[in-house]
Amino acid sequence: MSNATVRRSVVLAIVLAVPAMALAQTAAPPNAAVYFISPKDGDTVTSPFKVQFGLSGMGVAPAGVEKPNSGHHHLIIDATLSPEELKEPIASDAKHLHFGGGQTETMVTLPPGQHTLQLVLGDWTHIPFNPPIMSPVITVTVK
Ligand SMILES: [Cu+2]
């Protein structure tokens, strides 16, 4: 093989390998943190209840807009993200809510009983940062 052919083969191999690797994660800015303003861990609430998202060390931007040091909130209800799920776009279903409009609070309706809540910040393509920027898991009791 000529050098050019070898080079083309190497380029082709890299291109083919990309889909097998997860979509690129965005590096987390230092000191970024996401947290619940309300409710607090252990709170008892009446459904529907307001959930307020806090973020420090970076900004909120809508999904689809690539802006440095920013992301959008995801509320994870009665679930956690596996190490693999923390490297790919966050699912969108009843347990994984996206706030791609840049919202910083929402009303949540849940049946009576104990529930867990966690906030995970996603980049403009809904992929968690590396390392992930996520709140502690909190437990609330719905009356
Ligand atoms: Cu999202």
Side-chain angles (χ1 to χ4, degrees), residues 63 72-74 89-91 97-100 120 122-127:
H72 66 277
H73 289 286
H74 299 84
I90 295 170
L97 307 181
H98 291 243
F99 298 91
V120 179
D123 71 8
W124 65 293
T125 63
H126 313 278
I127 300 176

